[in-house]
Amino acid sequence: MSAQDHFSGMKTSRRVGILNADINPAELSNLSSKYEVNFFSLSFNISNNKVGFSDIVNGNNIEDLIFKGNEPVNMRIDAEIFGPGFAMKINKWSLGLTTKGYAQLNLVDVDPNLGDAINSGINNIIPGSTTIINNDNNQRLNGTSWGEVGFSAARNLFENEKHKLNAGATIKLLFPDSYTNLGLDKFQGTINTLATEAYLNNTQANLNIAYSENLSGSNTNFSDYSKSIFGNLNGFAVDLGLNYRLKDKDDYKINAGLSVRNIGAMTFKNTGNSSTNYNLKIQPTIANPNGLALSQFQNIGSLSDVETILQNDGYLTKTESNTDFKVNLPTILSLYADVKVYSKFYLTLYTQQKLRDNGENNQIITQNVISITPRYSLKNFEVYSAWANNEISGTTGGLGFRAYGFYLGSSSIVTALVSDTKQADFYIGYRLGLR
């Protein structure tokens, strides 16, 4: 998926393997060895648009810091895991089998005033104050986990002394495990503070609350999603790609590619699932003359608790409800070119652009990324520094290396140490190539 540009730098390595085929299945035709075995790969990422690296790693009241200021809050916590995988070349064909897992938890375009009032109550708001919120975005709290088994095939379409052209495709079987979504679309409301409480009034919004059965009791922590990844088979997706090489003896001058990935969706089917659309309207009533007390939401553990509170207070009108719901994968367009600058020095240009709107309630979230990676690459050793502009965390710079089949890196460690960037991530893995 590479929603956070996982394994940045390694997926465009000159030593071509299963990771390269993840951003473009046509890269399988460029396998550096006849057989490739992937043992494990793990990438973990936290990014946001408010809180610095030092606060993230030290755990300095992230919930309080992230809702400061007036800019909408965007925060991502996600992991990408490659399990056992295998690839091989057979004449002009190359075949691959991969296993992968994903887990993520996201905040999307959350109004900081509303978030702060719910998180801290009156503590960070001046008593007697009034705050008017008018947010046209769909504010989302969203989390999901799922597994994949991919079957890839690539073929060399044309090759001579100067040029090489490949095409490839991956068919992915999807195993959805857990999902939650709270979406507040076109939210309008007023927060009034009285004594020791913050109240919400004059409020209207379109509300979606969705959760799979296994998360009906707890779904507000990342561990709720990472503890289980593979569910039952219930979805399909496709990756398509083209690859071109301008050759240079046994190497290349340019290795370029184009791919469209994650064309597909998965369905959560269980009688214990719930996806409901509501009209949310909050006005003072005889039972609640001051409106909705926001302190009720400070220590809840699940979206079903939110649903119960709002229903009991009479603020919800149901418009649609289902136990089965379909969730779209984050379809993205990827473009890249790895250019030989001089001898063993290379420069990689890469971009991924999302083709779906993160504001849709049935959409798994991704981000746009543009990166540049200078590298020094030998047959059994490689060192590189990936620099990127990420839609959420801004500019990041990192370091990584490969020694034979082992690799380790971070796409944000340099900027984290120099400028306290708003991202923390690392990746590690091991693979083996066999002639």
Side-chain angles (χ1 to χ4, degrees):
M1 179 181 63
S2 294
Q4 297 277 47
D5 195 19
H6 288 283
F7 304 100
S8 182
M10 267 306 298
K11 285 189 175 181
T12 52
S13 170
R14 190 166 67 96
R15 192 284 196 193
V16 177
I18 286 175
L19 278 183
N20 303 67
D22 188 59
I23 65 167
N24 186 350
E27 286 284 356
L28 276 180
S29 287
N30 299 324
L31 280 175
S32 296
S33 55
K34 185 173 182 179
Y35 303 101
E36 164 94 353
V37 179
N38 188 78
F39 290 93
F40 77 96
S41 302
L42 167 66
S43 177
F44 183 77
N45 190 307
I46 302 176
S47 65
N48 75 101
N49 63 337
K50 292 291 190 77
V51 181
F53 175 85
S54 60
D55 293 310
I56 294 173
V57 297
N58 294 326
N60 293 335
N61 298 318
I62 302 299
E63 297 87 350
D64 294 334
L65 296 174
I66 201 167
F67 293 117
K68 300 299 182 184
N70 295 313
E71 184 181 2
V73 176
N74 286 277
M75 186 170 187
R76 308 276 315 274
I77 306 174
D78 74 325
E80 181 174 312
I81 305 164
F82 279 78
F86 177 77
M88 64 183 297
K89 292 192 292 187
I90 308 174
N91 298 321
K92 289 189 174 183
W93 285 92
S94 297
L95 305 175
L97 171 65
T98 56
T99 57
K100 297 173 65 178
Y102 302 96
Q104 60 175 245
L105 180 63
N106 310 283
L107 294 176
V108 181
D109 290 331
V110 174
D111 187 281
N113 296 298
L114 179 61
D116 194 40
I118 293 174
N119 179 63
S120 304
I122 193 103
N123 295 334
N124 295 328
I125 302 175
I126 301 173
S129 66
T130 297
T131 302
I132 298 175
I133 299 174
N134 190 344
N135 192 327
D136 289 333
N137 296 322
N138 187 19
Q139 304 176 63
R140 297 180 68 191
L141 168 63
N142 173 265
T144 186
S145 63
W146 77 98
E148 288 182 2
V149 176
F151 301 92
S152 302
R155 179 176 171 82
N156 173 235
L157 302 179
F158 173 82
E159 185 173 10
N160 61 20
E161 293 182 356
K162 290 289 186 180
H163 308 282
K164 183 180 181 181
L165 180 65
N166 309 311
T170 299
I171 297 175
K172 296 186 280 192
L173 307 182
L174 307 179
F175 299 80
D177 183 75
S178 59
Y179 182 80
T180 61
N181 185 74
L182 185 149
L184 276 174
D185 190 23
K186 295 179 173 56
F187 180 90
Q188 297 179 357
T190 301
I191 299 174
N192 298 310
T193 58
L194 301 173
T196 59
E197 182 62 87
Y199 295 92
L200 190 59
N201 281 294
N202 303 319
T203 301
Q204 61 181 14
N206 299 317
L207 173 65
N208 172 263
I209 296 179
Y211 47 85
S212 52
E213 182 185 35
N214 58 334
L215 292 183
S216 60
S218 176
N219 49 44
T220 57
N221 298 308
F222 180 74
S223 59
D224 296 326
Y225 304 89
S226 60
K227 64 185 178 183
S228 176
I229 293 177
F230 270 81
N232 295 321
L233 173 62
N234 215 328
F236 300 90
V238 175
D239 296 351
L240 302 172
L242 290 171
N243 167 255
Y244 166 76
R245 282 191 166 188
L246 178 61
K247 298 167 66 175
D248 180 25
K249 297 181 181 179
D250 295 330
D251 198 1
Y252 59 79
K253 294 180 180 179
I254 299 175
N255 182 60
L258 176 153
S259 65
V260 180
R261 295 182 281 150
N262 298 319
I263 308 169
M266 53 190 175
T267 301
F268 289 82
K269 298 187 69 172
N270 194 300
T271 56
N273 295 344
S274 176
S275 178
T276 308
N277 293 324
Y278 296 99
N279 287 328
L280 171 67
K281 291 187 178 180
I282 301 175
Q283 296 290 344
T285 63
I286 295 176
N288 299 297
N290 295 318
L292 175 65
L294 294 176
S295 62
Q296 298 177 81
F297 301 105
Q298 288 183 13
N299 297 310
I300 61 171
S302 70
L303 296 186
S304 59
D305 293 340
V306 173
E307 201 169 21
T308 299
I309 291 171
L310 294 174
Q311 285 175 332
N312 290 343
D313 287 341
Y315 297 133
L316 295 180
T317 301
K318 183 185 297 185
T319 60
E320 183 182 6
S321 184
N322 299 287
T323 56
D324 298 345
F325 50 90
K326 181 179 290 187
V327 178
N328 294 314
L329 262 61
T331 305
I332 57 176
L333 170 68
S334 294
L335 297 166
Y336 62 91
D338 189 38
V339 180
K340 184 176 184 179
V341 179
Y342 177 76
S343 184
K344 302 301 181 182
F345 292 91
Y346 294 78
L347 187 68
T348 305
L349 304 175
Y350 172 81
T351 182
Q352 68 176 41
Q353 300 295 312
K354 60 190 177 187
L355 301 181
R356 294 181 178 273
D357 184 2
N358 283 344
E360 298 176 4
N361 285 316
N362 64 343
Q363 178 62 52
I364 294 175
I365 295 159
T366 188
Q367 66 172 327
N368 297 328
V369 177
I370 298 175
S371 68
I372 182 169
T373 306
R375 71 179 73 242
Y376 178 73
S377 181
L378 302 174
K379 179 180 179 181
N380 295 319
F381 178 78
E382 187 172 9
V383 61
Y384 50 88
S385 179
W387 292 79
N389 183 269
N390 303 284
E391 186 177 7
I392 294 176
S393 56
T395 300
T396 59
L399 289 171
F401 77 92
R402 170 183 62 84
Y404 291 88
F406 176 78
Y407 49 91
L408 175 69
S410 167
S411 60
S412 62
I413 188 64
V414 174
T415 45
L417 297 176
V418 174
S419 62
D420 201 25
T421 187
K422 298 178 177 64
Q423 180 168 311
D425 69 273
F426 76 93
Y427 57 84
I428 187 173
Y430 182 73
R431 60 189 181 178
L432 179 65
L434 302 171
R435 292 291 179 184

